[in-house]
Structures are given as C-alpha cells and as structure tokens.
Amino acid sequence: MSDREKLEARLVWERPEPASRPAPEPLSREQIVRAAIALADADGLAAVSLRKVGASLDAGPMRLYGYLSSKEELLELMVDAVYGEMASEGPLTGDWRRALSAMAQRTRRAAKRHAWFIDLLGGRPHLGPHVLAHVEATFAALSGAPGFEHIDSVMLAVGTVDAYVLGALRNEASKLERGMNQAEWEAVSGPYIQRMISTGRFPMLAQVVRDATHPSADVVFERGLDCVLDGIAARLGR
Amino acid sequence: MSDREKLEARLVWERPEPASRPAPEPLSREQIVRAAIALADADGLAAVSLRKVGASLDAGPMRLYGYLSSKEELLELMVDAVYGEMASEGPLTGDWRRALSAMAQRTRRAAKRHAWFIDLLGGRPHLGPHVLAHVEATFAALSGAPGFEHIDSVMLAVGTVDAYVLGALRNEASKLERGMNQAEWEAVSGPYIQRMISTGRFPMLAQVVRDATHPSADVVFERGLDCVLDGIAARLGR
DNA sequence: GAACCGACCGATACGGTGTAAAGTACGATA
DNA sequence: TATCGTACTTTACACCGTATCGGTCGGTTC
C-alpha cells in the first residue's frame, strides 16, 4: 500500500491538506546540463539517466521534459557544453598547422576532462551553437592560407584531422579505464595474449611484445597527428 | 493472473501434465552470434537484446547465459565475426601502401554491410581470434618494408591509419541514416542552418553551403585516406 | 536395475531504463 | 472571483540485463 493510498484510507475530514509545496525553484537547461555532466564525470555516461539527473535537482524525471523533449537532446546539450569549454581556451593563432594541432589538442584535453565525451562525439551530427562556432573558427583559421584557397581543400584538411582525432581518442580511451583499471585489465588479458603468442601463429604480436618501446599515450597521439598534418602539407605543394 | 497461476488454480488431479518439452536442440555460440547479427543488421544495435536473440532461436533469455556470461561478450563475438568476414576477402598483397589502403577499404565495406559495427569498434580492446589475425596480417604486410624496419614505425603507421578509418567511418555514419533518412534530416536541419548563416556570424559556413562541391562519401573517404598515407610516406624518407 | 547427483534450462523476480498519459495544483486572466 | 492554461507529478507501460532458484533430465555409481 503506497503512502498515497495510506493517506486516502482516512476520511477526507481528518486528512491533512497536502503540505504547500515549497515553490520549486525554476530549473534551466543550463542547470540540467551541469547536473548531467557532473553525473557523467563522476560515474560515466551510463549513470546519466533522467531519473538521476532529476533527483540531483530535487525533481522527478518528467519535470525535465519541460526543458528537453528526449534524453538524446540532453546528450546533445552536453556535447555542446564541452565545445563551449574548448572555445573558452581562446582564439586560434598561428598558421594552419598550429591551428589544426591546437584544435586537436583541445579536443583531447576535453576528452580527458570528460571521458564520456568521446562516446558522444561520433553520434549524430552536432549542430549546437558552440559546435558551429568551433567549426567556423577552425575553417577560418585555415581559409585563405596558401594552398587553402578553395573551401574544398579546407574541408578535406579539417575533416581528415577530425577523423584522426576522433579515432585516436576512441582507441586511446578503449585501452584505458575500462571500469577496471589498467593493471586489472592487463592481469586478465596478459596471460591470454601470452598463450596466443606461444601458439606461434602470431609472430608479429610476439615482436610487438618483445621489441616495441611503448611510448606514452601523449607521444603516440602527437606522432600520429604529425603524420596526418604531414600528409596535408604534402598535398599543399601539389 | 499468469498462465501458470491459472493452471494451478485447478486441482492437481484434473491438471494436465506439462507437455513433454520438445528436446531443445542444442545451441552454439555461432548460432547465437548469427541471430544477433541478423537482428542488428535489420533493426539496429538497439534491437539486439538477449530476449530477442533468444526468441529468434526459440529460447528464453537465460538460455544464452550458458554460452555467454554477459551481453558484452555477445557484442564482442559479433565484432570478431565481422573481422572474420573481412579476413575471408583473402590475403593482403602489394606494398605497404596498398596493404593499408586495402585494410581501410575492407573495414569500410564491413561497416557498410553492418552499420552497427562502427559503434562497437572503438569500445574496449578487441582480442578475438579473428581480430588478432587481422592485426597480425596487417603488421606482417608492413614489416620489413623499407622504412619499417623497427616495429615501432609499423605500429605508428597502422595505428594512425586505424584511427583515421575509425573516425572517418563514424563521421560518415553520423551524417547518414539517423533513423530518419537523409532527406528528412535535411528538411529539419536545413532551415536551421540557413537561419544560423543569415545571422552573419558564420561566414565560413555560408561559404561551405555556397561554394563547396560536396563529393560522394567514397571520394571523401579515399581523399582523406590518401592524405594520411602521404603523411606516412613522408615520414619514411626521414 | 535403482538411486543419486550434477548440469542445465526455464520461470520468476528485481531494479533499472525512457517516456506516454493522465491527474493535479497554481498563477494569470477574464 | 471564477476559469482556464500551463507546468509539474504521479502513475503506468514496455522493455532491459541478469541473479536466483526450482525442476527436469541424462549420466554415473551402487
């Protein structure tokens, strides 16, 4: 029997009036998004449910539907908020290469602050104001530079770097913090890998384990990025 | 009142014995994975639930737990199966550039056959036999080629191309088939974009809409890939 | 041949999800 | 002051992954 039913079991006459509700202070998309981001930062994207977000604002889940029309929209707003953070690092300076590199590093830093960001990045196309501003600024940094006279070449360069960054961050994230920490994961997968190698069917993997100097994630990211930028530079001359 | 309860409402004496169950033919991981892939191909990843997969094999959801210990494992098996498909296209031939390009295109074709593949790609590190074979084959195709004497340079090249492919496929997928088809999507986002442009705050976006020749997705993918490969080639000389 | 035992299967149940629908109370407006 | 719209809440639904457990069966041992 619910509390409600328990109350109504008494007659109207002796039943107290409902406590005058404490004038719920109005919400805002910004508050909601902040709460959602806090949850995602703390416990991962899976912890972002309309119920939990609502609860952290002393509201029921349905209350949020006054500000959003679906959970997808909330995620969209979260993405845009992160782009907002990135923009607050200031305008892009330097030549096209420095600009693209800076954008890549900003994205990576954002992904480090908000691990869930990566999972949301590749979803549907993002059209929030901060995203548009981000794209606009990136294009503007390249536009007009020698070799980037036509907008198509700008799009190719930005698109390629973007794709690399997206994939690299996803790979990076997949190797790290999978619920279990790095050590735990290696404890499970290590022996398996060893067993696979000892079958003799994977000589290259064996060589990787034996010879590879595993540089830090930062270095790996930067080297790959340099590669991509070199490719773009090579294309400019042609 | 459940069927069970309805039955038990009658006395034992007049209650029929349970129909002798039709000796459930044994399942296998392969069958399960095939069923899951069929579901995902038809209705998207979200349609893959243990209940539905089970149902399509005339089994309850719990039956599957004899073959898997979690849904994550099922997804992992699905990924490995796709790598198996890719491997069946035959061995890699040609120099390092052709090999990497072929791998990229194979991945892209696989993602076209199985749209859900992209969403699973960047998740946790994949360690299935077909994945290992894929990595092994890719490394082997590069190993020893001039400029790829050290395994580190092989890893850099493969890792960079992989990252690009991953990101490019994700971007590509995000622009296409978002539940609604392309036309519907543009009908919604188009006017919005127009309005944003007409604020005058996004001159570069305006230029994109005005001047850009939007090549097909195939061309865009290939151009970006060429860029990345050029970057790797440039690095070899040094 | 009978009795046991272990593996497996299925039903049930729990705690969670997003959100549709209906109910309810309050502020503004007529 | 009465009414109405609007915002919020409650309730409910359909579904999810999976823990638990009772029952059924096949194989093994006395």
Side-chain angles (χ1 to χ4, degrees), chain B residues 209-226:
Chain B
V209 172
R210 186 165 18 91
D211 297 340
T213 78
H214 295 279
S216 72
D218 304 86
V219 172
V220 169
F221 180 79
E222 200 138 13
R223 283 208 189 132
L225 179 58
D226 270 341

Side-chain angles (χ1 to χ4, degrees), chain A residues 46 49 85 91 99 108 120-121 131 154-156 158 169 189 228:
Chain A
S49 77
E85 284 181 15
R108 184 156 182 268
L120 261 30
L121 256 190
V131 172
V154 174
M155 289 177 73
L156 173 62
V158 173
L169 291 182
S189 66
V228 175

Side-chain angles (χ1 to χ4, degrees), chain A residues 77-100:
Chain A
L77 290 171
M78 291 168 70
V79 169
D80 204 61
V82 174
Y83 274 98
E85 284 181 15
M86 287 166 57
S88 72
E89 291 191 28
L92 294 173
T93 60
D95 62 2
W96 65 267
R97 186 159 180 142
R98 291 185 68 86
L100 283 181

Side-chain angles (χ1 to χ4, degrees), chain A residues 48-99:
Chain A
V48 177
S49 77
L50 295 183
R51 284 173 167 82
K52 290 197 194 122
V53 172
S56 84
L57 295 165
D58 286 322
M62 295 316 281
R63 175 103 183 267
L64 306 182
Y65 277 86
Y67 303 83
L68 320 159
S69 62
S70 73
K71 183 182 178 179
E72 284 243 7
E73 289 192 355
L74 174 56
L75 300 179
E76 205 71 11
L77 290 171
M78 291 168 70
V79 169
D80 204 61
V82 174
Y83 274 98
E85 284 181 15
M86 287 166 57
S88 72
E89 291 191 28
L92 294 173
T93 60
D95 62 2
W96 65 267
R97 186 159 180 142
R98 291 185 68 86

Side-chain angles (χ1 to χ4, degrees), chain B residues 43-124:
Chain B
D43 304 322
L45 244 201
V48 177
S49 76
L50 296 184
R51 283 173 167 83
K52 290 195 192 124
V53 172
S56 84
L57 296 166
D58 285 322
M62 293 317 284
R63 177 99 184 271
L64 306 182
Y65 277 86
Y67 304 83
L68 318 160
S69 63
S70 72
K71 182 181 180 181
E72 284 242 4
E73 289 193 354
L74 173 57
L75 301 179
E76 205 70 13
L77 289 172
M78 292 168 69
V79 169
D80 205 60
V82 174
Y83 274 98
E85 285 182 15
M86 288 165 55
S88 72
E89 293 192 28
L92 295 173
T93 60
D95 62 2
W96 67 266
R97 185 159 181 144
R98 291 185 68 86
L100 282 180
S101 177
M103 275 306 187
Q105 297 288 0
R106 275 184 197 192
T107 309
R108 184 154 183 269
R109 276 192 295 271
K112 264 207 157 85
R113 282 193 303 272
H114 309 291
W116 46 269
F117 185 51
I118 307 160
D119 293 326
L120 261 30
L121 256 189
R124 62 174 65 231

